[in-house]
Amino acid sequence: MSARIFFLWLAGLAFAAAAPTDNILPARFCTISDEEDAKCQAMKTNFADRSLTPGIECIRGVDKYSCMQMIEEREADLLSCWSMDGYVAGKYHHLIPLLQEKHTTEPGWSYAYYAMAVVRKDDDSIHSLEDLRGKRSCHTGINRHVGWAYPVSQLNRRGLLQGGSCVNNIANVANFFNKSCVSGAKNPIWDPKGEYSNLCALCGGQGDTFCSASDPYASYTGSLKCILDGRGDVAFIKDTTFGEVIAERPEVANQKENYELLCLDGTRKPVDSFKECNWGTIPERVLMTSPQLSESQKTAIRNMFSLAQQDQEAFKLFDSSAYNGRHLLFHDNTKSLEDVGDKNDYEKYLGDYMQVKNHQFVCQVPAIRWCTISTVETKKCYRMRDALTARFVKPDVECVQANNTNECMQLIKENKADVIDLDGGDIYKGGKEYDLQVIMNENLVNGDAKYWGVAVVKKANADITYQTLKGKKSCHTAIGRSAGWNIPVGSLLSSGQITTPPDCNIAEAVGGFFNASCAPGALSAQFNPSGQNPQSLCSLCAGTGDNKCARNENEPFFGYTGAFKCMATGVGDVAFVKHVTPIDNTDGHNEDSWAKDLHLSDFELLCKDGSRKSPNDYETCNLAKVPSHAIVTQETKDAAEINRIEYLLDLGQFYYGEKKPNNFHLFSSGQGSKDLLFSDSTKSIKSVPEERRQYRKYLGDIADVYDKINDQGCQH
């Protein structure tokens, strides 16, 4: 038995002696992919076979941020995090470190890696951080830890980066250094006006690779090669980078002594002295848990993993190759799990990383307060906040929950919230009654910022046409919304099928036209102030108690998917939705139990000429084409405030706009929910020009239709 295994065996015995096993429940490991779940299930079986207690259960989350929520709410127990996510887990979900992953067996090594600044030994002009001003710098890439965040924070702490933006450091860095290679800096997300080309001046790529992640001077090894090739005066790398470059260029081994580390106090040391001379430490990955876990439970979990890792042949904790993945549950380079000791809260554990987070920007700005209308939407808002925080995105996001869009609009008007994403009908109301303006809009397929409102029926119900809707059962996204209410009601008014009543109560007329309906919100105080709206407008709704016919996610038939579900499950005869809704909920695109076996060919659209067509023919068979959903804010917001909101969301879609497995996705709500924060059919969001931000200018001619449906608009 080796000395190391003997030590682990003794440690296991010590843990076992300290851990009572009565009433200790299995540790619930949160997983975020099929591959991770497969490894977790194999670990569960192996631990049971080896009688390792308290054992493992595997709990599936949507992504790592949903796992943090689940642990906070005591629905799971364990999640392994890198520093950026450990910060989020601790700050926002109050999780604590339990076990740290150790990537080396070298005694005294406490960190994953060290951030270093390398200079040429024969360059006598650099003896302080101030001396770096005007020098040529080599970085791993924009917004990366060692090559950007760590040096930026150290320069900021010393007041060396002045002026510029409070949310984007690119101007500050470009003005500090003379020339640089910062791969990715040419992206319009960071440099929208192309003002800071000096940040790419030292890069060496050709064509599309120039100043990209594929540039020869990108990443850790690229940054070091940049100074080795004489392009830069300082290179920001980590402690293993010299070894990685030597593996590619063996001759560099003989050149190593020609370089030194620049320490934060201005002294210089040999490149192997990084433990004494570095710009910060990056902590190891850490297994985090809830502070509500009992001491006996935590001890039992530590004991279990301590015993489990003694025999890596019995189960390879730190190898994911058998499960077709990498770094599943733990990092594949991990050598052991060890107690965190006195670093038992996230701030202590993260150490230098806390300073990096706290000094990343030269000034502070208020958080953007996003208004949500349901608990499930608030949870997605928290996940968005978490994902953006982990990427150093500013401003921060705060989530403010209301009961419906009307309450949100009031909160924004009162400056108690800042933004919400609304459909055209609510944009009309928000501009008219709450003084809101449009600042960004959703784009659907091919960047189109408009969509078609359509009427969908089952193909089998062949007797239903646009002209025979009277007396049928109708499913609406919500009262007052575009595709689900304003467009079909306006169309039926224009065709004469519905007549405006003397008291101008359009809802009463709609209730008299259809036999029964689900129009969420139709009986709420906001849309039924006189109490005259027919009960039939909510009779088909599926919510229970106060949630029946609620104008939010608590009503199962709310929104596009809800209205389609209402019709597709046979509750209603016709659903008024947007053109992508039938496509998004059939042929396997929606995995919910009610939708997974539906086929697009089983549905048809009602055309205004009385014909019916396939849902794919929405361009020639629709009720109207209307502007897409859009993000609104106070009319009084100045340009700087609007720019910060736009920047936040531009970075949000830069990092999370593309749907990737097991990752947070800005435009996806997850199984069982739809259209949270944004429409799930959104492909991107785009700034609205200043001249179109007023609500009528954004809505265009369709605003006239909304006038006719609005109570005041029908007065003669």
Side-chain angles (χ1 to χ4, degrees), residues 400-414:
V400 179
Q401 185 172 331
N403 291 312
N404 50 58
T405 55
N406 280 44
E407 288 187 14
C408 277
M409 290 187 276
Q410 183 66 35
L411 288 173
I412 294 173
K413 182 177 181 179
E414 296 173 354

Side-chain angles (χ1 to χ4, degrees), residues 244-282:
E244 293 165 5
V245 172
I246 289 171
E248 294 181 43
R249 301 181 181 180
E251 70 277 7
V252 171
N254 296 323
Q255 302 170 14
K256 193 174 178 181
E257 63 182 19
N258 298 330
Y259 297 88
E260 291 182 323
L261 301 181
L262 175 66
C263 310
L264 291 174
D265 63 2
T267 60
R268 289 159 56 153
K269 293 186 182 298
V271 293
D272 289 329
S273 299
F274 50 82
K275 288 186 179 180
E276 298 79 38
C277 179
N278 60 74
W279 284 43
T281 55
I282 292 79

Side-chain angles (χ1 to χ4, degrees), residues 110-152:
S110 304
Y111 305 103
Y113 52 94
Y114 293 79
M116 302 158 34
V118 176
V119 296
R120 293 193 309 276
K121 191 172 184 178
D122 62 3
D123 185 352
D124 197 43
S125 66
I126 302 175
H127 290 283
S128 69
L129 272 63
E130 172 66 39
D131 290 340
L132 293 174
R133 187 184 300 277
K135 299 298 184 183
R136 300 170 302 165
S137 59
C138 306
H139 305 255
T140 57
I142 189 75
N143 216 35
R144 293 185 61 169
H145 279 70
V146 165
W148 184 266
Y150 274 65
V152 164

